[in-house]
Amino acid sequence: MLCLSFSTVQAAEKEINVGFIYVSPIGDAGWSYAHDLARRELDGMEGVKTSYVEAVAEGPDSERVMLNMARKGYDVIFATSFGYMDPMLKVAKQFPNAKFMHCSGFKTADNMGNYFGRMYQARYLSGMVAGGMTRSKTIGYVAAFPIPEVIRGINAFTLGVQAVNPEATVRVVWTKTWYDPATEKEAAKSLLDVGADVIAQHQDSPGPQEAAQEKGVYSIGYNTDMSTFAPKSHLTAPIWNWAPFYRNVIEQVRNGSWKAESVWPGIETGIVDLAPFSAMVPKELQDRVMAARADIVAGSNRIFVGPIKDQKGAVRIAAGVVAPDQDLLGMTWFVQGVVGTTE
């Protein structure tokens, strides 16, 4: 009995080793930075030790990093970019005793789950801000890669724009980057050159925000509050707060309740939200956006509710129909009002 009791105490006190893999530097002020803020909070939990590897390219490099962590006995590994999905699935099958979590993907295994947040809800709200602030009725959107996550966000943003300014359009330029400040800034400039007076983005760097400020127009950030980079331009931003989610996962691992599943929490959890409004946003518009936020939390505004047409005018979501999650997760088409291609 003494030996059993001692073993039980040892198991309870076993340190949980947690690894994070980032696609960009944690100094990006964006996506990886937001995840790393949460990782630092985990380090404050008793019995939890974390580490990370930053600027890991998607593909073979990420597989190598995951293998290294798994071989070192990490208990939980978080991979935080879409392109890490297949490499993680491969590694997870080789290490059945470890827990693997992939951010933004859709594949699972017995010991691999995936997670994301309903960022499209915050995108919609930021679109309302952009629609209320544009004067040219042309809004620029610097986009990363044409994957469902990004396309869904652009569509939700555009629906938000149209909710307050039906005549406005959203022009999309693809950079095929997650973090390349120079390229992303140049893409924003190309949108400014065709008359955009609000710039939004789906990348990690504040480059588009800086381009907007230099031109004297407005901007919508992403990932974190980027207002310090463009204080004269930045209106708000859809932002991430990953700490509650990561703490919950670690507690589940600790108490043995963790299971591989797909998790997609919404704005009501605080994992996605809006950054504080700039004083440049009129109080009336702020109030309207916050009322819409309350409707989303209450479930009375599901955003992707028909009738919704695509760019060619075809009805993609019928009147009164709420698009199911499966369709949102696989979205590959643009709504009416978006100027650009999904390629």
Side-chain angles (χ1 to χ4, degrees):
M1 289 295 293
L2 179 61
C3 180
L4 178 60
S5 176
F6 180 69
S7 298
T8 302
V9 172
Q10 278 190 317
E13 294 179 346
K14 180 184 181 297
E15 189 170 63
I16 298 177
N17 288 305
V18 185
F20 285 80
I21 304 168
Y22 304 138
V23 73
S24 52
I26 59 171
D28 66 2
W31 173 256
S32 294
Y33 177 68
H35 284 282
D36 202 61
L37 288 176
R39 180 196 64 80
R40 295 178 211 175
E41 289 202 27
L42 292 190
D43 261 340
M45 295 176 65
E46 185 175 355
V48 178
K49 181 180 180 181
T50 74
S51 64
Y52 67 91
V53 181
E54 60 185 329
V56 178
E58 297 172 324
D61 279 356
S62 66
E63 182 178 339
R64 173 184 55 79
V65 173
M66 291 175 212
L67 274 171
N68 189 42
M69 287 182 172
R71 286 168 177 161
K72 289 181 177 179
Y74 280 63
D75 301 291
V76 187
I77 299 173
F78 294 101
T80 63
S81 191
F82 183 81
Y84 295 159
M85 179 170 61
D86 288 335
M88 173 164 267
L89 187 64
K90 183 177 178 180
V91 175
K93 290 178 179 178
Q94 299 175 54
F95 295 87
N97 293 326
K99 309 292 191 297
F100 294 83
M101 290 289 287
H102 177 246
C103 186
S104 78
F106 55 89
K107 295 182 180 179
T108 61
D110 289 343
N111 62 329
M112 174 179 159
N114 60 61
Y115 63 102
F116 200 52
R118 295 182 185 270
M119 181 53 77
Y120 68 88
Q121 296 172 335
R123 292 275 189 200
Y124 176 88
L125 298 174
S126 69
M128 291 181 68
V129 175
M133 297 299 288
T134 182
R135 295 296 173 264
S136 69
K137 298 183 181 179
T138 298
I139 297 168
Y141 201 114
V142 185
F145 292 91
I147 60 176
E149 168 197 340
V150 182
I151 292 170
R152 181 175 63 246
I154 294 168
N155 284 342
F157 177 85
T158 303
L159 293 174
V161 168
Q162 293 172 342
V164 298
N165 196 336
E167 297 179 0
T169 58
V170 177
R171 300 182 69 94
V172 175
V173 170
W174 298 104
T175 62
K176 308 295 177 72
T177 64
W178 290 122
Y179 180 73
D180 187 332
T183 297
E184 290 150 20
K185 188 172 183 178
E186 286 304 311
K189 288 180 178 179
S190 73
L191 291 163
L192 295 167
D193 288 343
V194 293
D197 62 354
V198 182
I199 296 292
Q201 69 177 82
H202 188 135
Q203 284 99 357
D204 300 356
S205 85
Q209 313 300 298
E210 295 167 344
Q213 178 162 285
E214 290 170 9
K215 186 73 171 180
V217 301
Y218 298 124
S219 63
I220 303 287
Y222 177 46
N223 292 308
T224 65
D225 184 343
M226 292 182 170
S227 57
T228 57
F229 294 93
K232 297 179 181 179
S233 170
H234 188 273
L235 300 173
T236 186
I239 58 173
W240 295 100
N241 175 23
W242 288 110
F245 176 79
Y246 285 137
R247 284 198 303 268
N248 186 52
V249 170
I250 298 308
E251 289 298 344
Q252 290 176 348
V253 171
R254 196 198 302 273
N255 64 32
S257 65
W258 182 90
K259 59 181 179 180
E261 58 184 346
S262 298
V263 185
W264 205 16
I267 202 168
E268 73 281 355
T269 67
I271 290 171
V272 302
D273 215 331
L274 275 185
F277 296 110
S278 162
M280 295 179 288
V281 181
K283 181 66 163 53
E284 181 182 357
L285 180 56
Q286 293 185 32
D287 291 344
R288 186 172 179 180
V289 173
M290 294 307 291
R293 182 189 183 282
D295 288 341
I296 293 171
V297 170
S300 56
N301 182 350
R302 303 288 295 278
I303 299 174
F304 287 100
V305 181
I308 295 178
K309 297 179 180 180
D310 65 17
Q311 289 172 304
K312 296 181 179 179
V315 175
R316 288 297 190 112
I317 303 174
V321 173
V322 178
D325 284 354
Q326 183 178 356
D327 290 355
L328 297 183
L329 290 167
M331 187 167 276
T332 57
W333 52 275
F334 276 147
V335 299
Q336 203 166 50
V338 178
V339 180
T341 69
T342 56
E343 297 178 356

